[in-house]
Amino acid sequence: DGGITQSPKYLFRKEGQNVTLSCEQNLNHDAMYWYRQDPGQGLRLIYYSQIVNDFQKGDIAEGYSVSREKKESFPLTVTSAQKNPTAFYLCASRTGSSGANVLTFGAGSRLTVL
Amino acid sequence: GESVGLHLPTLSVQEGDNSIINCAYSNSASDYFIWYKQESGKGPQFIIDIRSNMDKRQGQRVTVLLNKTVKHLSLQIAATQPGDSAVYFCAENYSGAGSYQLTFGKGTKLSVIP
């Protein structure tokens, strides 16, 4: 089955630690995205990548970093500089074809800072 | 006091009745709109989309209406079922200058009463 796999599903972190969330897709999609979701909030864009080896900051990129070395993979690192990292993180992808605007989402990773 | 943003608008509907979920969007130049359904602890799932040159689109048990004059979008679910209980998000897309970004609303929680 084609889809997006996020891991881990749950992650606990101590303050001051960096953590990396994995996102892998086998949909052959060009573009990948990371969103953050807080309770009662919509999705906010952290970073996105439209092609391999290229990525752009979204609305709330501070304290986060990404890489796009392979088309299938778009890991997100939550650094110690992120002041309030506890949240639900969603990875998404879409084909780069024009007119194909629908994002496919993974199941999410819930990060809790202790 | 608590932030208003922590509390999602909630719609409670009797099983079998029709549901109408509303969304106001912000950018009059948005050219594409999408409704997503998010069940607890999962990633959003695509429901239905509509282009800005349309005012109505129907799917299976769902209808989306677009009123560009007042920048309003609605999702109608016919014969609501317990499995429809979820948070529903609208998203608007603006494709200007070759960019692609979805802006999500805060969501509405639909609770179906058996």
Side-chain angles (χ1 to χ4, degrees):
Chain A
D1 285 340
I4 298 179
T5 302
Q6 289 188 240
S7 63
K9 188 168 178 63
Y10 299 97
L11 184 62
F12 297 89
R13 182 192 104 175
K14 294 181 180 179
E15 284 192 22
Q17 288 181 335
N18 292 354
V19 292
T20 297
L21 307 180
S22 170
C23 178
E24 302 280 330
Q25 55 99 357
N26 60 3
L27 299 165
N28 199 33
H29 284 175
D30 296 305
M32 298 185 73
Y33 302 78
W34 274 105
Y35 288 89
R36 170 182 171 137
Q37 186 175 33
D38 293 286
Q41 299 288 319
L43 280 63
R44 292 185 290 169
L45 182 64
I46 305 172
Y47 267 99
Y48 65 101
S49 167
Q50 301 198 69
I51 56 172
V52 174
N53 292 322
D54 183 61
F55 48 83
Q56 308 293 331
K57 291 182 178 180
D59 301 320
I60 56 165
E62 185 175 351
Y64 299 98
S65 65
V66 293
S67 63
R68 187 87 187 277
E69 297 176 2
K70 298 187 300 182
K71 186 175 184 179
E72 302 80 16
S73 179
F74 191 41
L76 173 74
T77 297
V78 185
T79 76
S80 57
Q82 169 49 236
K83 299 304 180 189
N84 185 21
T86 295
F88 190 52
Y89 291 88
L90 287 159
C91 179
S93 71
R94 72 175 185 100
T95 176
S97 301
S98 62
N101 296 325
V102 176
L103 292 179
T104 300
F105 284 88
S109 293
R110 186 169 298 280
L111 172 64
T112 303
V113 173
L114 303 173
Chain B
E2 292 180 329
S3 166
V4 172
L6 291 176
H7 298 287
L8 282 174
T10 300
L11 176 66
S12 295
V13 175
Q14 201 74 36
E15 181 179 357
D17 287 351
N18 296 336
S19 303
I20 300 176
I21 301 170
N22 296 304
C23 175
Y25 64 92
S26 58
N27 188 351
S28 57
S30 291
D31 52 8
Y32 190 78
F33 304 88
I34 307 171
W35 280 100
Y36 285 93
K37 172 186 180 183
Q38 186 178 26
E39 297 176 23
S40 182
K42 297 183 179 180
Q45 292 179 294
F46 169 82
I47 302 173
I48 193 169
D49 56 2
I50 188 169
R51 295 195 178 279
S52 59
N53 61 355
M54 302 170 68
D55 53 22
K56 180 179 180 179
R57 190 168 187 213
Q58 288 185 292
Q60 187 176 14
R61 275 203 312 120
V62 294
T63 301
V64 56
L65 299 178
L66 175 62
N67 185 333
K68 294 184 287 295
T69 302
V70 295
K71 293 192 286 187
H72 183 268
L73 197 65
S74 70
L75 177 71
Q76 301 178 4
I77 304 174
T80 313
Q81 302 168 0
D84 295 327
S85 293
V87 175
Y88 290 81
F89 292 96
C90 66
E92 60 179 304
N93 174 66
Y94 171 64
S95 301
S99 68
Y100 168 88
Q101 284 212 26
L102 276 182
T103 301
F104 287 84
K106 287 186 168 27
T108 296
K109 182 176 180 179
L110 175 64
S111 295
V112 180
I113 305 165

